[in-house]
Every structure is written in structure tokens, then in C-alpha cells.
Amino acid sequence: GAVVSQHPSWVICKSGTSVKIECRSLDFQATTMFWYRQFPKQSLMLMATSNEGSKATYEQGVEKDKFLINHASLTLSTLTVTSAHPEDSSFYICSAYTYEQYFGPGTRLTVT
Amino acid sequence: AQRVTQPEKLLSVFKGAPVELKCNYSYSGSPELFWYVQYSRQRLQLLLRHISRESIKGFTADLNKGETSFHLKKPFAQEEDSAMYYCALSDGASSYKLIFGSGTRLLVRP
């Protein structure tokens, strides 16, 4: 049980375009989901906390207008990287909370 | 400020040797401490949490509030233990967000 999926698993986009990443809890409901960013050979950095039915809470230094988070249902949170630039290239990981955090497999974003 | 420190980027041991992955934290309240593991090409998964006081896959970790440490130990390493290990803390009471350490890669040689 407690499986979290992410879609897509990898995406390449051109600079200036927007990309949406989906995070789904497949067999449980999650009022709280989290989005992390992981640079190569580095740790996970928490970007924001996504709460169903309310605005996301962003960590210090994370641009909320650039990384739009929508938690529209108890099983789905989306992260949209707006006007992507090469420096946004990274591995984005989501997690869903129910008694503990369950992590998705991650989405690799490459901005060319 | 909340912070988790894992001083070793890489720990290499031979099969059957004891393992200790170090983790120190700084936090003003009473945090919950966790160890997560990421095997090659797999997602991050919870290994153990201090409040459960369990032994998972032979690993144990004791919270030492005096030394603000939560070191992960295993008496006899196995090759399948090779993975990336992350120590993390959560304030537990008001939010469930996790602050991760930089991670330690454990390599168990045959």
C-alpha cells in the first residue's frame, strides 16, 4: 500500500515554456503533500508544502510565482514550473503524508 | 535554525563489518528523527524513526538528546545494504515537513 506516482518521469522543455508535474497518491488520500528539489549528488531540498483546498506554503527562497502548486484533490498535487530556464533543470520529488511521508519516484526536468 | 548534518559523504566497509552512519542535528524543540534509504534506481523510503524504536533490516538508531545525535548502526553489514542514507528531522507537532541531511553513501564491499 501507500504508493505515490509522478508524471512525467522525465521531461525536456525549451527555455521560456511552462511544465506541469503531477503527483498522485494511488491508494490513499493525502491532505498534505510536499515538493522537493534534488540537485545531482545532493540532498533533497524542501520547496513547499501543498495542502488540499488551500494555498501552498513555500520555503524561504522559493519563488511562489515561478513554482505554482495546486492541490486540487486529496489524491493529486501539481507543480508547474513557469517560464522555465536552464537553472530550473533538476530532479523534482513529491511526497504524500499519511502517518509518514511516502515518496514518488521523481521527475527529471531538463530545460534547454 | 533547524539543521541536519551528516559528516560523511561516503562510507566504505567490507561485508560483515560494523557500520555507523553519523547524524547530528540542531533544533530548539523536540524533533522527530528519521532515517531514509534510497537504493539504486529506487525511490526514497523510510528505514526507521526514533519514536518507534524498531530494528529494521538489522539497523538501529538511538536518539541522544545530549549529543543531539541520531547515528545509524548495524553490527554486520551486508552487500545489499549499499545505498544512499539520509537522516531527517521533523518538528512533528506543528507540521510534518522534513529537513534532510546531505546524505551518506554506504558501499559494502564483498
Side-chain angles (χ1 to χ4, degrees):
Chain A
V3 178
V4 176
S5 70
Q6 282 184 240
H7 177 79
S9 56
W10 61 271
V11 58
I12 301 173
C13 72
K14 293 189 175 182
S15 186
T17 61
S18 296
V19 175
K20 180 184 285 188
I21 302 170
E22 292 184 349
C23 176
R24 293 182 184 272
S25 55
L26 298 184
D27 49 3
F28 66 100
Q29 295 182 330
T31 56
T32 303
M33 293 185 174
F34 300 91
W35 286 96
Y36 297 85
R37 185 172 177 175
Q38 187 176 33
F39 292 100
K41 299 188 178 181
Q42 294 190 29
S43 186
L44 285 77
M45 182 192 77
L46 179 65
M47 298 175 66
T49 303
S50 171
N51 298 296
E52 188 269 337
S54 64
K55 291 184 178 180
T57 304
Y58 291 82
E59 295 300 301
Q60 192 173 9
V62 178
E63 298 176 61
K64 62 180 181 181
D65 294 329
K66 179 167 192 60
F67 299 99
L68 300 178
I69 292 172
N70 183 23
H71 196 150
S73 76
L74 289 172
T75 59
L76 173 64
S77 176
T78 60
L79 169 68
T80 301
V81 183
T82 63
S83 186
H85 288 95
E87 56 265 31
D88 299 324
S89 298
S90 191
F91 197 57
Y92 293 88
I93 302 172
C94 74
S95 71
Y97 180 85
T98 178
Y99 304 109
E100 69 177 72
Q101 285 192 35
Y102 293 92
F103 287 82
T107 296
R108 182 161 303 285
L109 170 64
T110 301
V111 185
T112 61
Chain B
Q2 302 172 18
R3 188 179 182 90
V4 178
T5 302
Q6 294 179 249
E8 304 139 327
K9 284 190 174 182
L10 172 66
L11 184 63
S12 180
V13 301
F14 286 103
K15 177 183 174 181
V19 169
E20 182 178 51
L21 300 170
K22 297 189 187 310
C23 172
N24 289 88
Y25 66 91
S26 62
Y27 187 74
S28 56
S30 295
E32 283 194 56
L33 272 296
F34 306 83
W35 276 99
Y36 282 82
V37 61
Q38 188 170 28
Y39 299 102
S40 180
R41 300 182 186 278
Q42 294 188 28
R43 67 187 69 194
L44 203 63
Q45 57 185 284
L46 179 65
L47 180 62
L48 53 81
R49 57 200 307 177
H50 88 269
I51 60 172
S52 61
R53 292 182 166 270
E54 302 178 288
S55 173
I56 305 294
K57 299 184 179 183
F59 284 97
T60 60
D62 291 318
L63 180 61
N64 186 322
K65 292 184 178 181
E67 296 183 357
T68 60
S69 68
F70 188 56
H71 303 327
L72 184 68
K73 301 178 183 179
K74 184 170 182 176
F76 308 103
Q78 303 298 315
E79 290 181 68
E80 55 266 30
D81 296 329
S82 296
M84 195 74 184
Y85 291 81
Y86 293 96
C87 182
L89 73 78
S90 167
D91 66 9
S94 60
S95 80
Y96 307 110
K97 65 180 185 180
L98 293 169
I99 305 300
F100 283 88
S102 54
T104 297
R105 179 166 298 281
L106 175 64
L107 178 61
V108 182
R109 299 178 184 277

PDB file of all heavy atoms in Angstrom, chain A residues 49-69:
ATOM      1  N   THR A  49       5.047  23.062   0.900  1.00  0.00           N
ATOM      2  CA  THR A  49       4.050  22.143   1.458  1.00  0.00           C
ATOM      3  C   THR A  49       2.734  22.436   0.760  1.00  0.00           C
ATOM      4  O   THR A  49       2.274  23.589   0.740  1.00  0.00           O
ATOM      5  CB  THR A  49       3.912  22.357   2.971  1.00  0.00           C
ATOM      6  OG1 THR A  49       5.186  22.178   3.584  1.00  0.00           O
ATOM      7  CG2 THR A  49       2.912  21.376   3.563  1.00  0.00           C
ATOM      8  N   SER A  50       2.136  21.402   0.227  1.00  0.00           N
ATOM      9  CA  SER A  50       0.897  21.543  -0.529  1.00  0.00           C
ATOM     10  C   SER A  50      -0.259  21.003   0.308  1.00  0.00           C
ATOM     11  O   SER A  50      -0.246  19.852   0.726  1.00  0.00           O
ATOM     12  CB  SER A  50       1.036  20.734  -1.831  1.00  0.00           C
ATOM     13  OG  SER A  50      -0.192  20.650  -2.525  1.00  0.00           O
ATOM     14  N   ASN A  51      -1.236  21.865   0.578  1.00  0.00           N
ATOM     15  CA  ASN A  51      -2.372  21.470   1.397  1.00  0.00           C
ATOM     16  C   ASN A  51      -3.634  21.475   0.556  1.00  0.00           C
ATOM     17  O   ASN A  51      -3.933  22.456  -0.124  1.00  0.00           O
ATOM     18  CB  ASN A  51      -2.543  22.431   2.569  1.00  0.00           C
ATOM     19  CG  ASN A  51      -1.339  22.422   3.486  1.00  0.00           C
ATOM     20  OD1 ASN A  51      -1.026  21.413   4.105  1.00  0.00           O
ATOM     21  ND2 ASN A  51      -0.656  23.534   3.567  1.00  0.00           N
ATOM     22  N   GLU A  52      -4.391  20.398   0.606  1.00  0.00           N
ATOM     23  CA  GLU A  52      -5.606  20.280  -0.171  1.00  0.00           C
ATOM     24  C   GLU A  52      -6.593  21.377   0.196  1.00  0.00           C
ATOM     25  O   GLU A  52      -6.878  21.603   1.368  1.00  0.00           O
ATOM     26  CB  GLU A  52      -6.231  18.902   0.052  1.00  0.00           C
ATOM     27  CG  GLU A  52      -7.399  18.594  -0.861  1.00  0.00           C
ATOM     28  CD  GLU A  52      -8.736  18.999  -0.264  1.00  0.00           C
ATOM     29  OE1 GLU A  52      -8.809  19.092   0.969  1.00  0.00           O
ATOM     30  OE2 GLU A  52      -9.683  19.192  -1.032  1.00  0.00           O
ATOM     31  N   GLY A  53      -7.046  22.086  -0.811  1.00  0.00           N
ATOM     32  CA  GLY A  53      -8.055  23.113  -0.610  1.00  0.00           C
ATOM     33  C   GLY A  53      -7.546  24.444  -0.104  1.00  0.00           C
ATOM     34  O   GLY A  53      -8.342  25.345   0.172  1.00  0.00           O
ATOM     35  N   SER A  54      -6.239  24.583   0.025  1.00  0.00           N
ATOM     36  CA  SER A  54      -5.704  25.882   0.470  1.00  0.00           C
ATOM     37  C   SER A  54      -4.396  26.178  -0.267  1.00  0.00           C
ATOM     38  O   SER A  54      -3.885  25.329  -0.995  1.00  0.00           O
ATOM     39  CB  SER A  54      -5.483  25.888   1.981  1.00  0.00           C
ATOM     40  OG  SER A  54      -4.499  24.951   2.333  1.00  0.00           O
ATOM     41  N   LYS A  55      -3.891  27.363  -0.028  1.00  0.00           N
ATOM     42  CA  LYS A  55      -2.664  27.755  -0.716  1.00  0.00           C
ATOM     43  C   LYS A  55      -1.456  26.992  -0.175  1.00  0.00           C
ATOM     44  O   LYS A  55      -1.401  26.654   1.013  1.00  0.00           O
ATOM     45  CB  LYS A  55      -2.429  29.258  -0.551  1.00  0.00           C
ATOM     46  CG  LYS A  55      -3.422  30.124  -1.292  1.00  0.00           C
ATOM     47  CD  LYS A  55      -3.060  31.603  -1.148  1.00  0.00           C
ATOM     48  CE  LYS A  55      -4.039  32.472  -1.930  1.00  0.00           C
ATOM     49  NZ  LYS A  55      -3.703  33.924  -1.809  1.00  0.00           N
ATOM     50  N   ALA A  56      -0.514  26.782  -1.055  1.00  0.00           N
ATOM     51  CA  ALA A  56       0.710  26.099  -0.644  1.00  0.00           C
ATOM     52  C   ALA A  56       1.571  27.013   0.221  1.00  0.00           C
ATOM     53  O   ALA A  56       1.487  28.242   0.121  1.00  0.00           O
ATOM     54  CB  ALA A  56       1.496  25.659  -1.874  1.00  0.00           C
ATOM     55  N   THR A  57       2.355  26.401   1.060  1.00  0.00           N
ATOM     56  CA  THR A  57       3.311  27.137   1.896  1.00  0.00           C
ATOM     57  C   THR A  57       4.703  26.917   1.336  1.00  0.00           C
ATOM     58  O   THR A  57       5.171  25.779   1.283  1.00  0.00           O
ATOM     59  CB  THR A  57       3.251  26.638   3.349  1.00  0.00           C
ATOM     60  OG1 THR A  57       1.908  26.751   3.832  1.00  0.00           O
ATOM     61  CG2 THR A  57       4.178  27.460   4.226  1.00  0.00           C
ATOM     62  N   TYR A  58       5.361  27.994   0.947  1.00  0.00           N
ATOM     63  CA  TYR A  58       6.662  27.892   0.307  1.00  0.00           C
ATOM     64  C   TYR A  58       7.779  28.115   1.317  1.00  0.00           C
ATOM     65  O   TYR A  58       7.657  28.923   2.227  1.00  0.00           O
ATOM     66  CB  TYR A  58       6.774  28.912  -0.830  1.00  0.00           C
ATOM     67  CG  TYR A  58       5.880  28.595  -2.004  1.00  0.00           C
ATOM     68  CD1 TYR A  58       4.537  28.958  -1.992  1.00  0.00           C
ATOM     69  CD2 TYR A  58       6.377  27.924  -3.115  1.00  0.00           C
ATOM     70  CE1 TYR A  58       3.703  28.654  -3.064  1.00  0.00           C
ATOM     71  CE2 TYR A  58       5.560  27.624  -4.190  1.00  0.00           C
ATOM     72  CZ  TYR A  58       4.225  27.989  -4.151  1.00  0.00           C
ATOM     73  OH  TYR A  58       3.410  27.686  -5.213  1.00  0.00           O
ATOM     74  N   GLU A  59       8.868  27.408   1.099  1.00  0.00           N
ATOM     75  CA  GLU A  59      10.039  27.612   1.934  1.00  0.00           C
ATOM     76  C   GLU A  59      10.764  28.888   1.512  1.00  0.00           C
ATOM     77  O   GLU A  59      10.600  29.391   0.393  1.00  0.00           O
ATOM     78  CB  GLU A  59      10.985  26.415   1.818  1.00  0.00           C
ATOM     79  CG  GLU A  59      10.397  25.132   2.368  1.00  0.00           C
ATOM     80  CD  GLU A  59      10.051  25.225   3.838  1.00  0.00           C
ATOM     81  OE1 GLU A  59      10.954  25.501   4.654  1.00  0.00           O
ATOM     82  OE2 GLU A  59       8.864  25.009   4.181  1.00  0.00           O
ATOM     83  N   GLN A  60      11.536  29.395   2.438  1.00  0.00           N
ATOM     84  CA  GLN A  60      12.262  30.636   2.173  1.00  0.00           C
ATOM     85  C   GLN A  60      13.160  30.475   0.956  1.00  0.00           C
ATOM     86  O   GLN A  60      13.882  29.481   0.816  1.00  0.00           O
ATOM     87  CB  GLN A  60      13.105  31.000   3.405  1.00  0.00           C
ATOM     88  CG  GLN A  60      13.679  32.393   3.376  1.00  0.00           C
ATOM     89  CD  GLN A  60      14.358  32.754   4.687  1.00  0.00           C
ATOM     90  OE1 GLN A  60      14.546  31.896   5.558  1.00  0.00           O
ATOM     91  NE2 GLN A  60      14.720  34.004   4.837  1.00  0.00           N
ATOM     92  N   GLY A  61      13.091  31.449   0.079  1.00  0.00           N
ATOM     93  CA  GLY A  61      13.948  31.438  -1.095  1.00  0.00           C
ATOM     94  C   GLY A  61      13.321  30.787  -2.315  1.00  0.00           C
ATOM     95  O   GLY A  61      13.901  30.831  -3.402  1.00  0.00           O
ATOM     96  N   VAL A  62      12.173  30.171  -2.160  1.00  0.00           N
ATOM     97  CA  VAL A  62      11.490  29.539  -3.292  1.00  0.00           C
ATOM     98  C   VAL A  62      10.466  30.514  -3.857  1.00  0.00           C
ATOM     99  O   VAL A  62       9.610  31.018  -3.126  1.00  0.00           O
ATOM    100  CB  VAL A  62      10.791  28.234  -2.859  1.00  0.00           C
ATOM    101  CG1 VAL A  62      10.036  27.619  -4.037  1.00  0.00           C
ATOM    102  CG2 VAL A  62      11.806  27.252  -2.293  1.00  0.00           C
ATOM    103  N   GLU A  63      10.558  30.784  -5.153  1.00  0.00           N
ATOM    104  CA  GLU A  63       9.674  31.748  -5.789  1.00  0.00           C
ATOM    105  C   GLU A  63       8.303  31.129  -6.043  1.00  0.00           C
ATOM    106  O   GLU A  63       8.155  30.250  -6.889  1.00  0.00           O
ATOM    107  CB  GLU A  63      10.276  32.197  -7.112  1.00  0.00           C
ATOM    108  CG  GLU A  63      11.617  32.900  -7.002  1.00  0.00           C
ATOM    109  CD  GLU A  63      12.170  33.213  -8.375  1.00  0.00           C
ATOM    110  OE1 GLU A  63      11.516  33.964  -9.120  1.00  0.00           O
ATOM    111  OE2 GLU A  63      13.246  32.688  -8.723  1.00  0.00           O
ATOM    112  N   LYS A  64       7.316  31.617  -5.348  1.00  0.00           N
ATOM    113  CA  LYS A  64       5.976  31.024  -5.483  1.00  0.00           C
ATOM    114  C   LYS A  64       5.348  31.319  -6.837  1.00  0.00           C
ATOM    115  O   LYS A  64       4.493  30.566  -7.306  1.00  0.00           O
ATOM    116  CB  LYS A  64       5.066  31.493  -4.349  1.00  0.00           C
ATOM    117  CG  LYS A  64       4.828  32.981  -4.303  1.00  0.00           C
ATOM    118  CD  LYS A  64       3.910  33.321  -3.138  1.00  0.00           C
ATOM    119  CE  LYS A  64       3.638  34.800  -3.079  1.00  0.00           C
ATOM    120  NZ  LYS A  64       2.760  35.170  -1.936  1.00  0.00           N
ATOM    121  N   ASP A  65       5.752  32.423  -7.458  1.00  0.00           N
ATOM    122  CA  ASP A  65       5.195  32.738  -8.776  1.00  0.00           C
ATOM    123  C   ASP A  65       5.843  31.920  -9.883  1.00  0.00           C
ATOM    124  O   ASP A  65       5.314  31.829 -10.990  1.00  0.00           O
ATOM    125  CB  ASP A  65       5.363  34.221  -9.079  1.00  0.00           C
ATOM    126  CG  ASP A  65       4.550  35.086  -8.141  1.00  0.00           C
ATOM    127  OD1 ASP A  65       3.482  34.622  -7.693  1.00  0.00           O
ATOM    128  OD2 ASP A  65       4.986  36.203  -7.832  1.00  0.00           O
ATOM    129  N   LYS A  66       6.982  31.342  -9.582  1.00  0.00           N
ATOM    130  CA  LYS A  66       7.670  30.536 -10.572  1.00  0.00           C
ATOM    131  C   LYS A  66       7.278  29.061 -10.429  1.00  0.00           C
ATOM    132  O   LYS A  66       7.139  28.342 -11.410  1.00  0.00           O
ATOM    133  CB  LYS A  66       9.178  30.662 -10.414  1.00  0.00           C
ATOM    134  CG  LYS A  66       9.951  29.813 -11.408  1.00  0.00           C
ATOM    135  CD  LYS A  66      11.393  30.205 -11.435  1.00  0.00           C
ATOM    136  CE  LYS A  66      12.078  29.562 -12.624  1.00  0.00           C
ATOM    137  NZ  LYS A  66      11.475  29.965 -13.904  1.00  0.00           N
ATOM    138  N   PHE A  67       7.115  28.630  -9.204  1.00  0.00           N
ATOM    139  CA  PHE A  67       6.759  27.239  -8.927  1.00  0.00           C
ATOM    140  C   PHE A  67       5.323  27.220  -8.368  1.00  0.00           C
ATOM    141  O   PHE A  67       5.107  27.343  -7.166  1.00  0.00           O
ATOM    142  CB  PHE A  67       7.738  26.618  -7.940  1.00  0.00           C
ATOM    143  CG  PHE A  67       9.158  26.575  -8.425  1.00  0.00           C
ATOM    144  CD1 PHE A  67      10.084  27.526  -8.017  1.00  0.00           C
ATOM    145  CD2 PHE A  67       9.563  25.581  -9.312  1.00  0.00           C
ATOM    146  CE1 PHE A  67      11.399  27.483  -8.486  1.00  0.00           C
ATOM    147  CE2 PHE A  67      10.874  25.522  -9.780  1.00  0.00           C
ATOM    148  CZ  PHE A  67      11.789  26.478  -9.371  1.00  0.00           C
ATOM    149  N   LEU A  68       4.376  27.072  -9.277  1.00  0.00           N
ATOM    150  CA  LEU A  68       2.974  27.109  -8.887  1.00  0.00           C
ATOM    151  C   LEU A  68       2.520  25.726  -8.434  1.00  0.00           C
ATOM    152  O   LEU A  68       2.714  24.749  -9.132  1.00  0.00           O
ATOM    153  CB  LEU A  68       2.112  27.566 -10.063  1.00  0.00           C
ATOM    154  CG  LEU A  68       2.417  28.963 -10.625  1.00  0.00           C
ATOM    155  CD1 LEU A  68       1.509  29.258 -11.807  1.00  0.00           C
ATOM    156  CD2 LEU A  68       2.293  30.018  -9.545  1.00  0.00           C
ATOM    157  N   ILE A  69       1.918  25.684  -7.268  1.00  0.00           N
ATOM    158  CA  ILE A  69       1.458  24.417  -6.721  1.00  0.00           C
ATOM    159  C   ILE A  69      -0.049  24.460  -6.535  1.00  0.00           C
ATOM    160  O   ILE A  69      -0.589  25.408  -5.967  1.00  0.00           O
ATOM    161  CB  ILE A  69       2.164  24.108  -5.391  1.00  0.00           C
ATOM    162  CG1 ILE A  69       3.650  23.831  -5.651  1.00  0.00           C
ATOM    163  CG2 ILE A  69       1.509  22.920  -4.680  1.00  0.00           C
ATOM    164  CD1 ILE A  69       4.481  23.700  -4.402  1.00  0.00           C
TER     165      ILE A  69
END
